[in-house]
Amino acid sequence: MSYKKASFVALLCLLAVGISFLVIASNWTYRTSLQNVVSPKLYPMGLCTILIVLCVISLFQTWRRKEDHVIPLPNVKRTLSTIGLTVAFLLAWRNIGYFYVFLALYIFLLLFVYQSREQFRKIWWANLIYAGIIVGFVWFLFDYILKIRI
Amino acid sequence: MQYLDLSTLFSLDVLLAIIVGTFVGLFIGALPGLGSQIAIILLLPFTFTMDPLVSILLLLAAYQGAEYGGSISSIVLGIPGTPSAIVTVFDGATLARQGKSGEALGYSLTASLIGGLVGGLALLFLTRPMAKFALNFSDPEFFLIGILGLLAVSALSSKDFVKSMIFAVLGLLVGTIGMDMFTGLARFTFGRPELMSGVNLVPVLVGMFAFTELFKMIDEDMTKKFVVDKKNVRIRLPRTNLGSLLKFSGLGSLIGTGIGIFPGLGGGTSSWFSYVLAKKISKKPETFGKGNPEGIMAPESANNATVGGALMPMPTLGIPGASSIAILLGVFIIHGIQPGPALFTKEPALVSGLLWGFLLTSIAMFVLGLFVTGFFSRMLTLPLYWLVPVLLVLSLLGVYASKGMFFEIWLSFIFGVFCYLVRDLDFSFPAFVLAFVLSPIIEESFRRSLMLSNGSYAIFVQRPYSLAILAIIAIILAIYVYRKLRRNESPKEVIDEQKPA
Amino acid sequence: MKNTKKALLALVLVAVLIIAACGSSDSGGTSGGSSSGGTSSSQTGGSGTSGSSGGTQSGGGSQPAQPATNFPEKPIELIVPFDAGGSMDALGRIMASKISEFLPNNQTLVVVNQPGGGGTVGLTSLVNSKPDGYTLALTPTSPYITETFFGQVQYKHTDFQPIIKLFQTPMYMTVKKEAPWDGFADWFEYAKNNPGKLKVGTIGPSSEGGLAIQDLMLKHNLNINLIPYNGGGPAMTALLGGDIDGAIVTGPSGKSAEDQIKRIFIVAPERSPSMPDVPTMNEHPDVDSGHVHFSGILAPKGVPDDIVKILHDAFRATVDDPEVAQKITEMGVDIVIGDTAEYQRISDETAKSEEALLKQLGLIN
């Protein structure tokens, strides 16, 4: 994707955020029994306005830009797989439980994604051990020592 | 000074506590997402049965250790381990990727030691006078300091000024999320109670720096390792041009101590301010961001000095300068000790043990740091396909460990994906974070100032300190405009802070 | 050769994982909650699995119908809806350190911090957890009652089962030592005669102390500038720095410069046992405004009565213990125990009066 195009998209998204937040903020109602209170809507709405203005300026600047370059996006598949696996892991952990099982699975699958086919076949057992070590370490650090409910 | 009694200090308990605390702090600080606060909370339960001096020193040692530990991760992995270590990534990780991680770590450690010592000395000698001075600062001054901070943000902008400002404004906006403290209005919380106290720094930090960095690693050839040459990985203390570097360290320490005193401003803010200032006084500002040790020494000293600074208002005012210190306050209370000015007279031995012990924690951090760093540096020799999963897991769990809110993991991850997508578009991440941290200070101080003045804006020019800060702001703006006019096509100070390599 | 070794290793690993999985579903008791139950009860609604998946026990269900005579069989979780190191947290941990002596089976109490929303996040989590007596919360009045009227939390105070009322944290009108007022009467006169001159700092927008003063202001037509701060510490700094003329904060827990301040009255109907010389607002013949703010232990509604009694007795005994009592009083917190029925009664009363006051102040409909 080209720098200009990507910038356009990003800026448009931010512009949308600015506008929607402005609308949301303008609809707030509040009550106070204290005196001399500056409205809690002022600051956020002011910021949204500035954001909108800046986005417009930047959009204009991007349009006028002469120089452009391509932003390489290698390995989109890997990135997407990572995101997908992470989301799946989080959902499984949250809704099903069995944290350690899913954790091990998550790590193992990540390794599957990150290594080439031959590499994976060669050292799949090392990967398993590695997953086990991480799980063990996580248990030790977070459950045993930090006593955090997982 | 009646509190020169060192006898309580050199008992086995105390020394052991300092060593264990430092070690734990180093370790926890080095893990992304887990910062000094977690290190302290982790050790908290152990302190209930310990003697109060031992408890406090244990926790302080952990705090110091974590402040340096965060830098290890910044340098070795390019992922800040603590909020105050973000700035260290700019030059530290760059240096590391040039194969000089040992040196970078050396600079960091030395600077941290100096910062810790300066902070400790300030604590020892300046606590009483400082406390009186701090009382003169109130909301109008805090507001103006916040504005000053925003100016520092603009100095950190990337090539594209407008885009950096966009992110700064975005940071300010995200800082408003939560319940308004003056009216109780829930702002931008979308019905989620987890957002009522606002977005926490840890998910933002981990999302913006850890996940983004990890996604970048995924992009690359994952069989590669960062450093193949194991020799350069051992920590190397700086030998040459130590003198000039000390100047930057000193600057950082002073800034760190000063900022630490103000509640609400912590290691993150102090490391930034000192980085910006270091750049201004450096003879080679354009090398900042490319591996200039000056850019490591200043912030590293600052963040360790901040620990000392944050401790200063506590004995006299009973007010913590940072949230981690607030936890220490809790420890005092649980042990039945009342922090406050009476402490000096009621428990002189405790106070002296505390102040001198603090100096010891800096030394401990240095010594232990020498040993521990090598171990962490080895992480660099792991191939990426093994490094990334560990870091992913630790980042996810680190966010969870911070406040126990699962919601924050989602927040952090989604934010991370977003940041990764825009990473090459010249938006400024540092601007966002600093603005985010400053936002509540700016807004609350402003509104409260007006409440105090019955609605009159004159309050900002009537007070001497406000005027002083306003003057500083005016001068900075004047210099900036002047420079811009002189050089028509002024190449703005460019730091490529998003790509340390 | 190599292949069999690998296969063996793999088998060992799978075995380890399976054991870990079984271990994780009852989570070794260190955190007092199972893996699945733990996460779900720390969230609010969301995917709707709150408190139901897996449950919070390893063996045997604890449906309310069962006579749980062997309660507690495993550690009890005490949610502190505030950050570690704060005063609620300290109170919880002080009690946790001694309560094992008073709990049947010598079980332990594990403190879990769930900060956020001024205490509302922790209470939301409590309300969604299983009413089996293994999840409790230590909470002040604010998130439990006051906050429920603004329409921003998902529970009402009636969603909870009060176990025992333990503490009262008195709030005092604190002024500088040189201030011209020595008690409530002169301060009150000054306030009446000097509208708009007084600046008083409070904690948060609708804090307990702040509401009491607003009640006073309403009934007597006073004009006082109330200024919210982020906590007792900043308010005290502002007082000492001269920004404000008075601050309504808690008593001496070391957070104040004792020699520079004095306390002229307590914002409550009765005097505090820890500072009996400080008069209350209500001693003045015209005034009836003081509010009571209390902290206690809550459980979700539906906990069987016998478990409630066991918990009540254990906490009462713990707080009666002289060591515990001393540490607590040194924090400036008053121990004023109210049993289950009393806690329920006072909660209902306070809810009614606060709702009325909030309506009068125009803060809610």
Side-chain angles (χ1 to χ4, degrees), chain B residues 46-69:
Chain B
F46 296 108
T47 64
F48 295 136
T49 45
M50 290 189 217
D51 163 81
L53 179 64
V54 176
S55 314
I56 299 283
L57 287 178
L58 175 73
L59 299 180
L60 278 178
Y63 196 171
Q64 283 268 49
E67 287 298 337
Y68 171 60

Side-chain angles (χ1 to χ4, degrees), chain B residues 413-435:
Chain B
F413 188 67
I414 295 175
F415 187 58
V417 172
F418 168 69
C419 289
Y420 168 69
L421 290 174
V422 298
R423 75 201 179 290
D424 282 324
L425 299 177
D426 290 330
F427 288 105
S428 172
F429 288 173
F432 181 91
V433 177
L434 197 57

Side-chain angles (χ1 to χ4, degrees), chain C residues 154-189:
Chain C
Q154 297 161 349
Y155 53 81
K156 304 210 104 22
H157 86 274
T158 44
D159 292 330
F160 297 103
Q161 167 68 49
I163 304 278
I164 179 172
K165 174 170 82 86
L166 292 172
F167 314 116
Q168 271 166 210
T169 312
M171 305 278 265
Y172 302 94
M173 171 66 77
T174 315
V175 301
K176 283 174 96 161
K177 230 186 188 84
E178 313 86 55
W181 318 291
D182 280 314
F184 179 67
D186 15 350
W187 182 87
F188 191 39
E189 282 311 305

Side-chain angles (χ1 to χ4, degrees), chain A residues 3 6-7 10-11 14 17-18 21-22 24-25 28-32 34-44 47-48 50-51 54-55 57-58 61-62 65 69 71-76 78-79 82-83 86-87 89-91 93-94 99 103 106-107 110-111 114-115 119 123 126-127 130 134 137-138 141-142 145-146 148-150, chain B residues 27-28 31 34 38 42 46 160 162-163 165-167 169-170 172-173 176-177 180 182-183 185-188 190 192 215 217-223 382 384-390 392-394 396-398 400-402 404 406 409-410 413 417-418 420 422-427 438-440 442-443 446-447 450-451 453-455 457:
Chain A
Y3 178 89
S7 293
L11 287 169
L14 290 173
V17 167
F21 271 42
L22 184 63
I24 293 176
W28 288 334
T29 56
Y30 68 96
R31 302 188 196 201
T32 179
L34 305 174
Q35 302 174 23
N36 293 317
V37 176
V38 174
S39 168
K41 296 165 71 160
L42 183 68
Y43 181 65
L47 290 177
C48 288
I50 300 179
L51 179 65
L54 288 176
C55 282
I57 295 180
S58 191
Q61 282 181 334
T62 313
R65 250 179 101 97
H69 55 267
I71 302 183
L73 265 186
N75 292 315
V76 183
R78 239 192 259 154
T79 313
T82 306
I83 298 180
T86 309
V87 170
F89 168 59
L90 291 177
L91 285 173
W93 170 16
R94 173 97 153 72
F99 173 69
L103 179 65
Y106 174 59
I107 299 174
L110 280 178
L111 290 170
Y114 296 155
Q115 294 165 352
Q119 230 175 354
I123 56 177
N127 287 340
Y130 177 75
I134 305 291
F137 176 67
V138 164
L141 179 65
F142 289 94
I145 298 207
L146 291 177
I148 294 173
R149 288 183 317 164
I150 297 230
Chain B
F27 184 63
I28 302 270
L31 298 173
L34 305 180
I38 303 251
L42 156 66
F46 296 108
D160 191 326
V162 176
K163 279 185 174 156
M165 287 302 103
I166 288 181
F167 255 42
V169 172
L170 211 55
L172 290 177
L173 206 50
T176 63
I177 297 180
D180 171 43
F182 294 98
T183 59
L185 172 69
R187 303 196 285 193
F188 301 127
F190 302 106
R192 305 228 55 143
F215 279 122
M217 287 187 201
I218 297 176
D219 245 354
E220 310 184 22
D221 168 18
M222 292 192 84
T223 56
L382 277 179
L384 283 181
Y385 53 72
W386 273 351
L387 198 56
V388 172
V390 186
L392 263 177
V393 169
L394 285 178
L396 291 170
L397 292 179
Y400 185 64
S402 155
F406 199 91
I409 308 185
W410 287 117
F413 188 67
V417 172
F418 168 69
Y420 168 69
V422 298
R423 75 201 179 290
D424 282 324
L425 299 177
D426 290 330
F427 288 105
L438 288 175
S439 190
I442 294 177
E443 193 198 3
F446 181 73
R447 291 166 76 189
L450 286 182
M451 286 180 83
S453 69
N454 274 328
Y457 284 86

Side-chain angles (χ1 to χ4, degrees), chain C:
Chain C
M1 215 30 133
K2 224 169 171 209
N3 278 332
T4 27
K5 241 205 280 188
K6 278 195 244 172
L8 224 72
L9 267 166
L11 232 101
V12 167
L13 247 127
V14 173
V16 165
L17 286 176
I18 296 185
I19 296 177
C22 293
S24 75
S25 48
D26 58 31
S27 152
T30 45
S31 26
S34 76
S35 40
S36 43
T39 18
S40 46
S41 66
S42 71
Q43 303 325 307
T44 53
S47 58
T49 52
S50 17
S52 52
S53 65
T56 42
Q57 76 297 51
S58 50
S62 38
Q63 295 84 29
Q66 238 180 18
T69 41
N70 203 21
F71 177 87
E73 289 167 15
K74 59 183 179 101
I76 300 175
E77 193 178 273
L78 179 69
I79 298 178
V80 169
F82 297 95
D83 280 309
S87 55
M88 272 298 131
D89 179 63
L91 289 169
R93 291 180 194 270
I94 292 176
M95 291 193 295
S97 67
K98 260 285 179 142
I99 199 171
S100 300
E101 296 174 25
F102 305 105
L103 277 173
N105 305 330
N106 291 117
Q107 278 295 349
T108 52
L109 188 69
V110 178
V111 169
V112 172
N113 298 89
Q114 284 188 19
T120 53
V121 171
L123 286 189
T124 310
S125 153
L126 178 71
V127 104
N128 290 327
S129 61
K130 224 167 192 268
D132 55 7
Y134 286 103
T135 318
L136 308 170
L138 171 66
T139 178
T141 319
S142 184
Y144 169 39
I145 300 180
T146 322
E147 290 299 319
T148 59
F149 299 115
F150 295 103
Q152 285 166 1
V153 298
Q154 297 161 349
Y155 53 81
K156 304 210 104 22
H157 86 274
T158 44
D159 292 330
F160 297 103
Q161 167 68 49
I163 304 278
I164 179 172
K165 174 170 82 86
L166 292 172
F167 314 116
Q168 271 166 210
T169 312
M171 305 278 265
Y172 302 94
M173 171 66 77
T174 315
V175 301
K176 283 174 96 161
K177 230 186 188 84
E178 313 86 55
W181 318 291
D182 280 314
F184 179 67
D186 15 350
W187 182 87
F188 191 39
E189 282 311 305
Y190 185 90
K192 282 200 273 195
N193 298 327
N194 294 281
K197 280 264 222 64
L198 274 179
K199 295 191 201 140
V200 172
T202 66
I203 303 178
S206 50
S207 75
E208 297 155 358
L211 284 180
I213 292 288
Q214 289 190 66
D215 189 27
L216 185 75
M217 287 164 60
L218 207 59
K219 292 193 175 127
H220 298 269
N221 233 335
L222 298 176
N223 184 343
I224 303 176
N225 285 316
L226 291 183
I227 304 187
Y229 283 87
N230 256 321
M236 283 302 292
T237 322
L239 175 69
L240 295 174
D243 287 348
I244 51 181
D245 307 300
I248 303 178
V249 289
T250 54
S253 56
K255 291 202 182 118
S256 47
E258 284 296 312
D259 51 344
Q260 296 178 40
I261 54 128
K262 61 184 180 191
R263 294 177 183 84
I264 53 180
F265 59 90
I266 182 175
V267 183
E270 282 156 20
R271 296 195 179 202
S272 157
S274 55
M275 295 217 102
D277 298 328
V278 179
T280 89
M281 301 179 1
N282 290 2
E283 285 169 22
H284 191 284
D286 302 332
V287 172
D288 178 27
S289 285
H291 278 213
V292 183
H293 1 266
F294 41 84
S295 316
I297 304 287
L298 295 178
K301 203 145 204 85
V303 176
D305 289 337
D306 45 355
I307 295 188
V308 171
K309 176 131 189 21
I310 296 178
L311 289 169
H312 165 272
D313 295 340
F315 275 102
R316 180 181 276 260
T318 309
V319 167
D320 275 339
D321 175 283
E323 236 187 85
V324 172
Q326 191 193 9
K327 286 200 178 152
I328 293 180
T329 9
E330 276 172 0
M331 283 174 62
V333 171
D334 291 333
I335 302 179
V336 184
I337 302 186
D339 68 9
T340 309
E342 159 78 7
Y343 195 17
Q344 179 76 69
R345 183 190 68 80
I346 202 172
S347 301
D348 295 334
E349 250 181 49
T350 308
K352 234 175 40 169
S353 67
E354 288 218 331
E355 189 173 11
L357 175 61
L358 289 173
K359 285 195 183 159
Q360 275 184 308
L361 288 173
L363 292 176
I364 57 176
N365 287 323

